[in-house]
Amino acid sequence: MRRGVGASAVVLALAGWGTSLAAPAHAGARVAASQPLVELKRDHVARRAPDADARPVDAIPIRRPLTGVRTVLPVLASAIDGKGQAWMRVRLPGRPNGRKGWILAAKTRSRSTAWHVAVDLSERRVSVYRDGRVERQWQAIVGSPSTPTPRGLFFVEEAVALSPLDAGGPYALAASARSEVLQEFAGGPGQIALHGTGNLAGALGTAVSHGCIRLSPAAITWLARRIGAGTPLTIKA
Amino acid sequence: MSSPFHLKRAGVALAVGFACAAVPAAAQAARQVGLGTAGNFSVLAGSTVTNTGPTTMSSQLGLHPGTSVTGAPVASATHISDGPALQAKSDLVTGYNDAAGQASTALATAELSGQRFVAGAYRASSSLLHSAGSVTLDAQGDPNAVFIFQIGSTLTTGSGTSVALVNGAQACNVFWQVGSSATFGTGSTFVGTVMALTTITANTAATFNGRLLARNAAVNLDTNTIITSGCAPGTTGDSPTTGGPGSDGSPTDGTDGLPPASRSNRNGTATLQRSPGSPGSPGSPGSPGVRDCAEGFRGTVRGRQIKRVVFRMDGKRIANRTSSPFRVFVRAMPGKHVIKARVSFKDATVAKTLKMDYRACAAALLRPRQGPSRFTG
């Protein structure tokens, strides 16, 4: 007679970008048609395991710091602990790059996105996928050899409308990635973003940025009107 | 005891006119299993839900963490890898463990056919088979009598088999905790909430009065009817009623649970139509460059004998219309959405669920908030 699952959690990996792509997505690669997301409805603590007693990884506030929108995170797996509580394994923003953690499913709202942004650093090209198919591609400016754009699996934390006087306007997609060279830049935490070329020098197709990915104003405007918080972002060499 | 299958009732042998009227002696008392929100689902699965042919269920269909539902089974609402589905899966684990953990009496045989059970919890250490004929669950006049079957491995029923509820037994009080997978034979009728650790397979035209809840893997359906009804405390039906749709004691012909007299009065019709003029609908100038999307969804249910229409989007109730026009308008977040209209009728027409997809345009909806430029540049 089976008598339950015991104290250990039952972990279920979700089909999607978080787990199904062994290799990072790039233009021409397979990208999951949909990515499960979770929107926080309160501050959460991310832990190393799906267990209320597990070591904390980080505190995740309900809102993002630049615009105050709700925090939305990609979901990689789910689990139910020995007490019957549901947990989700999520990607986390900030350092070190690529962090993951478990949060309680309570006080969250499930969502999904059909969008996926992929950056190919060697081609200096940004591809945007929808339902697993390439929707648009643009040339971009990427990080210089001394301040490279970090590689890995990230996500869009928030979309930001910038003023005409700001560098990088008219929009920015603030990413969960952080520069591995610049600990702080322009009063921020060395945060990587896809943004425009407003008030900045440099030609598209070159590697001259401080780590961010710069796109033409038309391209970043197209993205900002479609790409919401939580959208997967893959950056490959 | 010399055999667990001597007929006893409170220590007194009963002469009951059944061909094989045996019950386990000293059956362990069973208490109701708490299903939580999982009780709101007719079908709940972990990996996939597959379906062949017209399958209908009276309650909701849920899937988590899987995302693939094929074959378009009709449910009152569908939750795919969303919050309600996750919560229901969590509650299912609790219910499964509750059922598995109750004190029970070991069954002497792995064959259910022809057996008669009084209320209690029964344990099969390995597989359980119901190969032919009927198995009887006897509430002995207690409408709150609970039957729990704890099965260590598989549960399998043969073609055309049935479960009979007698003397007030109710499907809502019957639970099957299955340690691996459950398979139901072609044309069989089954009663109770099936909670399987792995897969549940319902073969062609199997009908259920209960729930099919699979914790980790798939629920496979094929032209099935699943009626999920609540308890009716105080019911003390004396006549045997075969489980499945129509198991309320009224005479039926086994097709849909309605008395034949009611079936002749079915003139209701309903169709769901997307109203012209939905903002940003395909082809309109409101959404250049975006495939088949609309800013909002405006739909109307038209037909005859319509009593009420409940509209849901992605399983969440968005409108309840009890008079014409039966219309809804919703403006959703960007992405794919499913609009369902549950239509009930003034006459005896069976309620139906109408479905339509809707993709909300991203371009028309996302307006990033103003913020500082504090990036690496």
Side-chain angles (χ1 to χ4, degrees):
Chain A
M1 167 61 55
R2 186 181 179 87
R3 289 187 181 274
V5 295
S8 60
V10 177
V11 180
L12 303 165
L14 296 183
W17 156 71
T19 54
S20 65
L21 293 176
H26 54 87
R30 287 194 63 187
V31 167
S34 178
Q35 170 62 46
L37 305 175
V38 63
E39 177 183 325
L40 305 192
K41 294 169 75 175
R42 69 164 188 210
D43 295 347
H44 277 253
V45 175
R47 298 184 181 277
R48 296 187 72 169
D51 185 335
D53 297 325
R55 190 172 141 195
V57 176
D58 202 355
I60 311 299
I62 184 176
R63 296 188 184 281
R64 292 292 86 204
L66 301 178
T67 63
V69 297
R70 287 274 185 92
T71 298
V72 181
L73 306 170
V75 180
L76 308 180
S78 63
I80 295 169
D81 65 18
K83 298 173 184 170
Q85 289 184 300
W87 294 78
M88 292 177 171
R89 191 171 192 233
V90 295
R91 286 198 187 283
L92 300 172
R95 290 191 173 89
N97 281 328
R99 288 189 311 166
K100 308 174 191 81
W102 290 89
I103 63 170
L104 278 169
K107 299 293 183 185
T108 66
R109 189 165 76 98
S110 295
R111 294 168 52 174
S112 67
T113 180
W115 295 102
H116 188 126
V117 180
V119 180
D120 187 323
L121 296 177
S122 59
E123 297 286 336
R124 294 161 192 173
R125 182 177 61 201
V126 172
S127 303
V128 59
Y129 292 75
R130 185 179 184 184
D131 293 330
R133 291 174 297 189
V134 175
E135 186 92 3
R136 291 283 194 283
Q137 287 186 322
W138 302 277
Q139 282 293 297
I141 299 172
V142 300
S144 69
S146 60
T147 54
T149 303
R151 290 167 287 169
L153 302 175
F154 306 103
F155 61 96
V156 174
E157 280 190 55
E158 53 191 319
V160 185
L162 302 174
S163 86
L165 300 177
D166 282 331
Y171 293 100
L173 299 180
S176 62
R178 302 290 184 267
S179 169
E180 288 165 354
V181 176
L182 304 169
Q183 293 297 307
E184 189 176 328
F185 191 92
Q191 185 170 16
I192 300 299
L194 288 85
H195 57 65
T197 53
N199 304 311
L200 292 170
L204 293 171
T206 61
V208 297
S209 83
H210 298 105
C212 283
I213 298 119
R214 301 180 196 165
L215 290 158
S216 70
I220 193 64
T221 300
W222 192 96
L223 281 171
R225 291 190 178 280
R226 290 161 177 81
I227 303 300
T231 299
L233 167 65
T234 303
I235 303 176
K236 72 174 282 281
Chain B
M1 75 198 87
S2 59
S3 165
F5 285 91
H6 290 302
L7 176 63
K8 289 185 179 179
R9 181 183 179 185
V12 179
L14 298 178
V16 181
F18 285 85
C20 185
V23 298
Q28 290 280 353
R31 54 182 162 69
Q32 179 69 245
V33 174
L35 292 174
T37 61
N40 300 330
F41 288 78
S42 289
V43 168
L44 194 57
S47 60
T48 59
V49 175
T50 68
N51 177 54
T52 303
T55 289
T56 60
M57 59 194 79
S58 65
S59 191
Q60 302 179 97
L61 182 154
L63 178 63
H64 195 284
T67 58
S68 172
V69 176
T70 60
V74 176
S76 66
T78 300
H79 293 277
I80 300 175
S81 202
D82 62 3
L86 175 63
Q87 185 61 52
K89 287 293 300 297
S90 173
D91 291 346
L92 172 57
V93 173
T94 304
Y96 182 98
N97 291 339
D98 181 9
Q102 296 199 28
S104 56
T105 300
L107 292 168
T109 171
E111 174 60 82
L112 286 175
S113 303
Q115 304 288 344
R116 183 184 181 89
F117 294 90
V118 296
Y122 303 95
R123 183 175 71 254
S125 58
S126 183
S127 296
L128 200 56
L129 178 66
H130 178 22
S131 59
S134 180
V135 60
T136 302
L137 306 182
D138 183 352
Q140 299 176 306
D142 177 8
N144 297 313
V146 175
F147 303 80
I148 296 176
F149 293 87
Q150 303 162 338
I151 303 161
S153 182
T154 61
L155 169 65
T156 306
T157 72
S159 299
T161 57
S162 63
V163 178
L165 301 176
V166 300
N167 295 324
Q170 298 191 80
C172 62
N173 290 327
V174 181
F175 301 91
W176 306 82
Q177 177 258 320
V178 183
S180 62
S181 296
T183 304
F184 299 94
T186 300
S188 61
T189 57
F190 200 76
V191 165
T193 297
V194 181
M195 298 178 287
L197 185 66
T198 311
T199 299
I200 299 175
T201 300
N203 285 313
T204 310
T207 60
F208 300 87
N209 186 353
R211 304 175 182 86
L212 303 180
L213 312 177
R215 280 181 53 181
N216 296 333
V219 172
N220 303 310
L221 303 168
D222 183 353
T223 319
N224 307 119
T225 301
I226 305 157
I227 303 297
T228 306
S229 52
C231 288
T235 301
T236 53
D238 289 324
S239 59
T241 55
T242 298
S247 62
D248 59 354
S250 59
T252 76
D253 62 1
T255 55
D256 58 8
L258 283 174
S262 300
R263 206 171 298 117
S264 61
N265 186 22
R266 295 177 173 184
N267 300 311
T269 62
T271 57
L272 173 60
Q273 298 168 346
R274 191 189 303 265
S275 303
S278 292
S281 57
S284 81
S287 55
V290 182
R291 263 193 329 265
D292 299 334
C293 69
E295 285 183 37
F297 176 89
R298 180 176 286 127
T300 306
V301 173
R302 293 186 171 86
R304 293 194 306 266
Q305 296 288 332
I306 297 173
K307 178 182 176 186
R308 187 168 82 124
V309 180
V310 176
F311 291 94
R312 293 177 188 272
M313 185 179 72
D314 304 332
K316 290 183 179 171
R317 187 165 157 157
I318 54 174
N320 176 27
R321 302 282 181 260
T322 55
S323 60
S324 180
F326 300 98
R327 186 177 294 165
V328 70
F329 173 73
V330 63
R331 194 188 296 265
M333 294 293 287
K336 287 180 181 174
H337 302 277
V338 177
I339 305 290
K340 286 187 177 176
R342 178 71 175 170
V343 185
S344 53
F345 298 91
K346 296 172 184 171
D347 61 9
T349 305
V350 177
K352 63 193 296 189
T353 300
L354 308 169
K355 177 181 158 186
M356 191 170 277
D357 292 337
Y358 150 54
R359 182 196 284 274
C361 299
L365 292 169
L366 290 189
R367 296 184 181 87
R369 294 186 188 179
Q370 200 80 26
S373 177
R374 298 199 309 209
F375 312 107
T376 56

